[in-house]
Amino acid sequence: MKVQRGDILRYVIIKGKGSISSRAVPYQYVDKNTEFDINYYISNQLIPAVSRIMSSFGYTVEELEQLDSKEKQQTLDSFFF
Protein backbone atom coordinates (compact mmCIF):
# COMPACT_ATOMS: atom_id res chain seq x y z
CA MET A 1 0.00 0.00 0.00
CA LYS A 2 1.49 3.30 -1.06
CA VAL A 3 0.74 6.28 1.17
CA GLN A 4 0.56 9.75 -0.31
CA ARG A 5 0.18 13.22 1.14
CA GLY A 6 -3.44 13.85 2.15
CA ASP A 7 -4.33 10.15 2.46
CA ILE A 8 -6.49 9.14 5.41
CA LEU A 9 -4.93 6.27 7.29
CA ARG A 10 -7.52 3.97 8.84
CA TYR A 11 -6.46 1.40 11.37
CA VAL A 12 -7.75 -0.72 14.24
CA ILE A 13 -6.12 -1.66 17.53
CA ILE A 14 -5.85 -5.39 18.03
CA LYS A 15 -5.42 -7.40 21.23
CA GLY A 16 -1.91 -8.26 22.26
CA LYS A 17 1.10 -7.07 24.17
CA GLY A 18 3.21 -4.07 23.41
CA SER A 19 2.59 -0.44 22.59
CA ILE A 20 -0.51 0.84 20.86
CA SER A 21 1.53 1.66 17.76
CA SER A 22 2.72 -1.95 17.52
CA ARG A 23 -0.90 -3.18 17.73
CA ALA A 24 -2.29 -0.71 15.18
CA VAL A 25 -3.15 -2.57 11.98
CA PRO A 26 -4.48 -1.04 8.75
CA TYR A 27 -8.16 -1.95 8.59
CA GLN A 28 -7.79 -3.58 5.17
CA TYR A 29 -5.59 -6.26 6.74
CA VAL A 30 -8.05 -7.47 9.38
CA ASP A 31 -10.56 -10.24 8.92
CA LYS A 32 -13.46 -11.70 10.87
CA ASN A 33 -11.06 -13.63 13.13
CA THR A 34 -9.16 -10.52 14.26
CA GLU A 35 -9.52 -9.82 17.98
CA PHE A 36 -9.96 -6.10 18.52
CA ASP A 37 -8.84 -4.52 21.79
CA ILE A 38 -12.29 -3.56 23.08
CA ASN A 39 -10.87 -2.17 26.34
CA TYR A 40 -8.72 0.29 24.37
CA TYR A 41 -11.76 1.62 22.52
CA ILE A 42 -13.88 1.85 25.67
CA SER A 43 -11.17 3.62 27.70
CA ASN A 44 -9.79 5.92 25.03
CA GLN A 45 -12.72 6.73 22.78
CA LEU A 46 -16.06 5.85 24.35
CA ILE A 47 -15.57 6.93 27.99
CA PRO A 48 -14.09 10.38 27.15
CA ALA A 49 -16.97 11.19 24.79
CA VAL A 50 -19.73 9.79 26.99
CA SER A 51 -18.33 11.33 30.18
CA ARG A 52 -18.81 14.84 28.81
CA ILE A 53 -22.49 14.12 28.28
CA MET A 54 -23.08 12.07 31.43
CA SER A 55 -21.34 14.57 33.72
CA SER A 56 -24.37 16.83 33.28
CA PHE A 57 -26.44 14.03 34.87
CA GLY A 58 -24.03 13.75 37.80
CA TYR A 59 -21.99 10.73 36.67
CA THR A 60 -18.21 10.68 37.07
CA VAL A 61 -15.69 8.95 34.81
CA GLU A 62 -15.02 6.46 37.60
CA GLU A 63 -18.70 5.56 37.83
CA LEU A 64 -18.90 5.05 34.07
CA GLU A 65 -15.84 2.80 34.09
CA GLN A 66 -17.31 0.67 36.87
CA LEU A 67 -20.69 0.00 35.29
CA ASP A 68 -21.36 -3.71 35.36
CA SER A 69 -21.41 -4.96 31.79
CA LYS A 70 -23.27 -8.08 32.95
CA GLU A 71 -26.39 -6.11 33.79
CA LYS A 72 -29.27 -6.84 31.49
CA GLN A 73 -29.96 -3.99 29.11
CA GLN A 74 -33.50 -2.66 29.25
CA THR A 75 -35.64 -1.66 26.34
CA LEU A 76 -37.48 1.63 26.02
CA ASP A 77 -40.72 -0.27 26.69
CA SER A 78 -39.62 -0.84 30.29
CA PHE A 79 -40.05 2.86 30.98
CA PHE A 80 -43.69 2.85 29.84
CA PHE A 81 -45.08 -0.42 31.21
Side-chain angles (χ1 to χ4, degrees):
M1 170 171 70
K2 185 176 179 177
V3 179
Q4 298 176 355
R5 179 177 285 172
D7 285 351
I8 296 174
L9 303 177
R10 297 181 179 135
Y11 62 92
V12 295
I13 306 300
I14 60 172
K15 279 189 175 182
K17 295 183 180 184
S19 67
I20 295 299
S21 61
S22 69
R23 296 185 293 126
V25 176
Y27 81 101
Q28 340 35 336
Y29 298 130
V30 299
D31 60 24
K32 65 181 180 177
N33 298 318
T34 301
E35 288 191 59
F36 301 100
D37 189 346
I38 299 301
N39 292 326
Y40 168 82
Y41 288 102
I42 291 172
S43 298
N44 294 289
Q45 293 186 355
L46 187 62
I47 294 289
V50 170
S51 67
R52 290 190 290 274
I53 298 166
M54 296 304 287
S55 66
S56 64
F57 296 106
Y59 288 92
T60 65
V61 171
E62 292 77 24
E63 288 173 315
L64 294 173
E65 290 174 339
Q66 293 175 6
L67 290 176
D68 186 5
S69 62
K70 294 178 182 163
E71 288 182 22
K72 184 176 176 172
Q73 184 174 355
Q74 296 182 4
T75 65
L76 286 176
D77 292 339
S78 66
F79 291 101
F80 301 108
F81 299 104

